[in-house]
Amino acid sequence: MSLRDKHIVIGISGSIAAYKIATLVRLLRKAEASVQVIMTQEATQFITPLTLSTLSNKPVFVDYFDKKTGEWNNHVHISQSADLILIAPATANTLAKCAQGICDNLLQAVYLSAKSEVFLAPAMDLDMWVHPSVKNNIQLLQSYGNVIIPPGKGELASGLVGEGRLAEPEEIFQFIQEHFESNKPLSGKKALVSAGPTYEAIDPVRFIGNHSSGKMGYAIARELSKLGAEVTLISGPTALSTPEGVKRINVQSAAEMLNECNNYFEQADITVMSAAVADYAPTEVAAQKIKKKTEDFSISLQKTTDILATLGAKKREQQTLVGFALETNNELENAIDKLKRKNLDFIVLNSMQDKGAGFAHDTNKITVINKKEEILSFDIKSKEEVAKDICTLILEYQNR
Ligand code: CTP
């Protein structure tokens, strides 16, 4: 598996085993991950920053300030850019500092500002490894959610033989790889998500649109991508930024959205149509700006193609198709009718009667109806949490 686009921050503390990190950096780079190395002063006695900066293709940070350029190595930025922070080798001293929240070097500051998962690979002599204080620190670190990559048994630098050797670079690499794989139950799957409003042109400066913010669809695209799916987001005009790892295609009109959805539907394992597609569009688009000449003015409209129904009609057995319904009355009856008519696996119902549901809110309250017409009601939640609920249902259904 490729670790493409994964950014791994490696913190090296002062142990003879530091030399093994050169091999690990090579393995990670080969797997297309980007690597940022941070070292403690002591670690630079065991392996040169030059070796690691050459292998990682990035400058190695040791101090808060770069003495040559006078630049500040921002520990918050280093931590927040990381998909994973690995401290290897982690000496007894570094483990103790992490466990107690001591911040006396750049590596500790990066550890304390971590937003991602943290892995620690201890390395020390066998007697140190079994000392109760070290054991306590390991337990403390585990209680913070940190992952310990256990040391191996074998010959130690002291000449003694026992447990305490830094895990081999290949083993650490495997830990990292499995971590990214296990969190990605949808890896290898393709997903298509539509979001936002459509704009139907009246003339070169005017259009018929709606209040959809696109927030719900973007949250679903982000969540599916986090679960490992390769996501294409077909988006009407919105002010939102593209979720990480998602391929976004911008469209304006229902006709353009139909066209792009048709292009991607065939390959999609999962399709979620959350866009608020205009049901009607002007029959003709005026070539020039329409002047206000008459007291009354009317526009002739014609029905747009129902994208969801078009996709439903050609859906294969293994494909999962999810639609939305925004209703003001007879909600369940209308939603079930849409579920059947459009050949969906799920329909997500928003009732305008629920406070905090629908357009432009940061929250949503949904009821999901599945193919068997089973009804699942959810509490009012943030759109991110609603996206998680929807994706959990999709995931369970994919594994049926
Ligand atoms: N939809 C679509 N293409 C359209 C209109 C709607 O793909 N031209 C999709 C929406 O993205 C949503 C679902 O259909 O997932 C529900 O749309 P809605 O407009 O509520 O349903 P309609 O079947 O058009 O019924 P009505 O407007 O009468 O409520």
Side-chain angles (χ1 to χ4, degrees), residues 273-275 277-279 304-308 323-327 338 341-342:
M273 279 292 302
S274 62
V277 187
D279 287 330
T304 58
T305 305
D306 189 319
I307 306 171
L308 188 57
F324 276 72
L326 179 64
E327 306 290 342
K338 278 178 199 170
R341 194 160 34 89
K342 303 192 190 192

Side-chain angles (χ1 to χ4, degrees), residues 194-196 198 200 254 257-258 261 272-280 303-311 322-328 334 337-338 341-342 344 346-348:
S194 74
T198 62
E200 309 303 328
M257 189 171 274
L258 171 69
C261 286
V272 183
M273 279 292 302
S274 62
V277 187
D279 287 330
Y280 291 90
K303 236 187 189 168
T304 58
T305 305
D306 189 319
I307 306 171
L308 188 57
T310 308
L311 304 181
V322 183
F324 276 72
L326 179 64
E327 306 290 342
T328 54
N334 285 336
D337 173 58
K338 278 178 199 170
R341 194 160 34 89
K342 303 192 190 192
L344 310 180
F346 294 102
I347 191 145
V348 181

Side-chain angles (χ1 to χ4, degrees), residues 244-377:
E244 216 180 285
V246 168
K247 173 177 168 180
R248 170 170 163 185
I249 295 171
N250 291 326
V251 295
Q252 293 270 330
S253 64
E256 284 170 24
M257 189 171 274
L258 171 69
N259 199 18
E260 293 296 350
C261 286
N262 273 333
N263 286 345
Y264 287 90
F265 181 68
E266 179 76 22
Q267 294 93 39
D269 301 286
I270 300 157
T271 299
V272 183
M273 279 292 302
S274 62
V277 187
D279 287 330
Y280 291 90
T283 312
E284 273 174 43
V285 182
Q288 307 295 337
K289 186 181 170 204
I290 300 168
K291 302 303 270 179
K292 50 175 184 305
K293 285 186 189 139
T294 54
E295 260 331 291
D296 296 325
F297 179 70
S298 54
I299 306 170
S300 158
L301 300 176
Q302 66 181 16
K303 236 187 189 168
T304 58
T305 305
D306 189 319
I307 306 171
L308 188 57
T310 308
L311 304 181
K314 56 182 175 181
K315 183 171 87 80
R316 297 187 309 273
E317 174 61 25
Q318 285 313 308
Q319 287 181 301
T320 303
L321 184 59
V322 183
F324 276 72
L326 179 64
E327 306 290 342
T328 54
N329 55 314
N330 294 334
E331 293 98 327
L332 280 175
E333 200 182 313
N334 285 336
I336 291 171
D337 173 58
K338 278 178 199 170
L339 174 86
K340 285 187 181 161
R341 194 160 34 89
K342 303 192 190 192
N343 190 27
L344 310 180
D345 299 285
F346 294 102
I347 191 145
V348 181
L349 165 65
N350 289 306
S351 168
M352 287 300 267
Q353 292 188 20
D354 286 325
K355 273 195 190 139
F359 289 147
H361 290 286
D362 285 326
T363 53
N364 205 354
K365 172 152 177 33
I366 58 162
T367 303
V368 180
I369 306 148
N370 66 17
K371 231 175 164 174
K372 294 180 194 158
E373 295 182 31
E374 290 164 337
I375 298 164
L376 298 153
S377 293

Side-chain angles (χ1 to χ4, degrees), residues 1-6 30-33 177 180-181:
M1 191 197 107
S2 146
L3 291 173
R4 190 178 304 151
D5 300 331
K6 296 289 172 252
K30 250 177 128 176
E32 299 180 77
Q177 210 172 26
F180 285 113
E181 268 171 14

Side-chain angles (χ1 to χ4, degrees), residues 4-254:
R4 190 178 304 151
D5 300 331
K6 296 289 172 252
H7 184 57
I8 322 282
V9 170
I10 304 183
I12 307 178
S13 62
S15 153
I16 178 68
Y19 76 92
K20 292 185 180 177
I21 304 308
T23 308
L24 177 65
V25 173
R26 275 205 66 217
L27 290 171
L28 290 167
R29 295 284 295 140
K30 250 177 128 176
E32 299 180 77
S34 63
V35 178
Q36 174 64 62
V37 176
I38 304 164
M39 300 174 83
T40 62
Q41 275 298 348
E42 292 72 20
T44 64
Q45 306 288 319
F46 293 97
I47 183 166
T48 70
L50 182 63
T51 306
L52 294 156
S53 65
T54 309
L55 291 171
S56 64
N57 203 21
K58 278 194 200 314
V60 167
F61 302 138
V62 179
D63 296 310
Y64 287 102
F65 288 94
D66 185 317
K67 289 188 184 99
K68 272 191 219 132
T69 62
E71 270 174 59
W72 184 44
N73 297 323
N74 185 333
H75 58 89
V76 174
H77 175 73
I78 298 170
S79 297
Q80 294 193 345
S81 64
D83 292 305
L84 176 75
I85 297 177
L86 165 74
I87 304 184
T91 59
N93 192 33
T94 291
L95 289 175
K97 287 199 262 184
C98 292
Q100 299 305 325
I102 293 171
C103 187
D104 62 352
N105 61 31
L106 179 67
L107 171 52
Q108 294 307 133
V110 168
Y111 169 80
L112 287 175
S113 0
K115 285 269 174 292
S116 68
E117 192 106 42
V118 178
F119 284 11
L120 296 119
M124 65 198 76
D125 232 321
L126 74 164
D127 298 319
M128 293 164 79
W129 178 241
V130 294
H131 195 280
S133 63
V134 174
K135 291 275 165 249
N136 281 341
N137 286 335
I138 293 283
Q139 271 177 16
L140 270 175
L141 292 165
Q142 285 171 326
S143 75
Y144 308 153
N146 296 167
V147 173
I148 305 294
I149 303 180
K153 273 189 192 149
E155 213 171 291
L156 300 164
S158 61
L160 297 171
V161 176
E163 210 173 349
R165 270 171 75 102
L166 176 69
E168 293 307 315
E170 291 77 11
E171 289 173 70
I172 300 176
F173 177 75
Q174 205 179 332
F175 250 89
I176 294 174
Q177 210 172 26
E178 279 170 11
H179 163 70
F180 285 113
E181 268 171 14
S182 65
N183 278 344
K184 308 272 180 221
L186 288 178
S187 82
K189 301 278 182 196
K190 289 197 166 81
L192 167 63
V193 179
S194 74
T198 62
Y199 285 0
E200 309 303 328
I202 298 169
D203 68 15
V205 293
R206 302 180 181 96
F207 61 84
I208 298 173
N210 61 64
H211 290 300
S212 168
S213 63
K215 283 180 186 165
M216 195 63 247
Y218 274 58
I220 292 170
R222 182 177 297 109
E223 193 53 33
L224 288 170
S225 174
K226 272 195 196 165
L227 291 170
E230 189 186 321
V231 183
T232 304
L233 174 65
I234 316 278
S235 175
T238 71
L240 303 173
S241 49
T242 312
E244 216 180 285
V246 168
K247 173 177 168 180
R248 170 170 163 185
I249 295 171
N250 291 326
V251 295
Q252 293 270 330
S253 64

